[in-house]
Amino acid sequence: MKKYSRILIIANLLLLVGYFNWSVFKKEQTLKDGQLVLLHLAPVDPRSLMQGDYMRLNYEINSSLSDFIDEQTTTRGYAILKTDSNQVGQLIRLQNTLTPLNDNEVVIKYKIVDNRVFLGAESFFFEEGQDTLYQKATYGGLKVDDKGQSLLVGLYDENLQHIQPK
C-alpha cells in the first residue's frame, strides 16, 4: 500500500509540474506572437502603503463596457475591440463566443464580478522611487492571443512610447 501511495504522489507531482510548464509556455507564446493592443488608462493613485509602489489600472474602456451590458449579458464573454493604426483599441461590442471577428478586430476575455468589469491586468508593480516615471502613463499595453487571453506587457506614454525604468 505504501508503494502505491508514493507512486500516486509522484504522478500527481509530475502532473502539477507539467501543467505549470505548459502554462508558462502558453504565456511565453502570447508574449512572442500576441497582438499588441493599447488601452487608454483612467487616472488612479500609484501608491500603496502595504504593497509598495504600484499602479492600479483602470482602463477607460471599462466605463464604456457598462453601456453594452444588459440583462442578457453573461458574466464571462469576449470584448471585441477595433484597433487603429497605432494599435489603440476601441470597444465595438460584447459577444459570448470567440467568433465572428472582422478585419482589424481583436478579442479580449472579460468577466463581470459585483457589477465591475475585469478586462486584462488590474495592477502594475514597479520599482520603488519610479512613481514619477509611471505617472506619465496614458496607455496599458496588452499582448492578446487569438483565444482572447491577454498579458500586460507594460505602460505607454501619450506618444505611444513604452515607459522603461531608468
Side-chain angles (χ1 to χ4, degrees):
M1 185 72 170
K2 195 173 191 179
K3 181 179 178 181
Y4 291 118
S5 64
R6 281 188 182 169
I7 291 172
L8 188 61
I9 289 170
I10 290 171
N12 281 327
L13 183 61
L14 288 174
L15 284 172
L16 182 65
V17 169
Y19 175 77
F20 176 75
N21 285 335
W22 177 254
S23 175
V24 169
F25 172 76
K26 293 301 284 178
K27 289 188 186 317
E28 290 291 331
Q29 288 299 108
T30 300
L31 288 174
K32 182 178 140 201
D33 300 329
Q35 181 178 350
L36 178 66
V37 177
L38 301 176
L39 298 179
H40 204 276
L41 296 172
V44 292
D45 182 19
R47 294 276 301 166
S48 168
L49 294 175
M50 298 301 286
Q51 296 173 307
D53 287 345
Y54 88 106
M55 180 176 285
R56 193 180 109 261
L57 301 179
N58 183 21
Y59 305 106
E60 279 188 1
I61 200 170
N62 286 348
S63 60
S64 63
L65 273 172
S66 60
D67 297 337
F68 291 85
I69 296 173
D70 58 23
E71 299 82 38
Q72 283 83 20
T73 304
T74 59
T75 57
R76 293 181 186 267
Y78 300 94
I80 309 304
L81 311 174
K82 187 163 189 79
T83 57
D84 62 16
S85 61
N86 293 320
Q87 299 303 102
V88 177
Q90 297 295 322
L91 182 65
I92 302 293
R93 66 185 179 280
L94 299 179
Q95 58 190 42
N96 295 329
T97 59
L98 197 54
T99 56
L101 290 178
N102 300 319
D103 292 341
N104 293 329
E105 288 184 346
V106 179
V107 61
I108 298 180
K109 285 185 176 182
Y110 76 84
K111 68 179 176 179
I112 302 171
V113 178
D114 296 329
N115 293 326
R116 185 161 187 269
V117 180
F118 293 92
L119 181 74
E122 298 294 319
S123 58
F124 179 77
F125 290 86
F126 50 86
E127 193 175 323
E128 189 174 337
Q130 299 287 326
D131 57 324
T132 55
L133 178 66
Y134 289 105
Q135 284 177 349
K136 298 184 285 186
T138 306
Y139 297 95
L142 300 171
K143 284 278 191 147
V144 182
D145 69 10
D146 57 352
K147 303 237 185 310
Q149 299 285 4
S150 64
L151 291 172
L152 181 68
V153 294
L155 300 181
Y156 291 72
D157 64 16
E158 62 192 14
N159 299 319
L160 308 173
Q161 298 298 313
H162 188 213
I163 300 173
Q164 299 283 351
K166 298 175 182 176

